[in-house]
Amino acid sequence: MTEFIEHSGTVEKIDSQFVIVRIEEPVTDCNICQARNVCIAAGSGAKYVTVSSAGIPETISKGTRVTVKGRSAMSSVAVVLAFVVPVILITVAVTLVIAMTGNDGFGALAGLIVLILYYLALYICRNKLSKRFVFTITKI
C-alpha cells in the first residue's frame, strides 16, 4: 500500500481556519484503499475536503489548483471508527438487552440508543479526531 493518497482539486473557499478544496478528478487511488466500497469519495461527482489553513502559503487563493495529500493509514482508522465499532456496539447492546428482557423491541431500541450515543461521542470528539485525520495541500 502506498504511504500517501493524493488528489488534485480546486480551492473553493479559504477562511481563517480552513481551506475547502473541491476534488473533481476520478479517484484512482480508491482501488488500493481498504475503505473503497464504503467511502463516499469513491463515487462519482465532485467531493469536498476540508484542510486546516495553518501553514498554507499565501499564494494559494480561491480558484487555485492544488494537490490534497493524506496518509493511507487514515483509511483503516476511518473504517474502524465509522463501521466496525458501531456494528460491534449495536450487536452487543441488542444481544444483552434481548437476553435480559426477552423483548426484541427493547433490544432494537437499545441498539438505536447506543448508535446515537456513539455518533454523538464522535461528534463531541471531532476536534481531537481532526488532529488525527490531517490533510495537507500544495499548489500545482
Side-chain angles (χ1 to χ4, degrees), residues 4-67:
F4 293 99
I5 295 175
E6 296 180 352
H7 300 294
S8 297
T10 305
V11 174
E12 288 290 307
K13 181 180 176 184
I14 298 178
D15 64 25
S16 61
Q17 293 181 326
F18 300 105
V19 175
I20 298 176
V21 179
R22 185 181 66 207
I23 307 294
E24 296 175 337
E25 68 179 28
V27 186
T28 56
D29 287 338
C30 290
N31 293 332
I32 60 170
C33 180
Q34 296 173 2
R36 69 184 167 273
N37 293 328
V38 292
C39 181
I40 60 169
S44 60
K47 306 298 178 208
Y48 295 89
V49 176
T50 302
V51 181
S52 172
S53 62
I56 65 162
E58 290 185 18
T59 57
I60 294 179
S61 60
K62 184 177 179 180
T64 304
R65 297 281 300 157
V66 294
T67 300

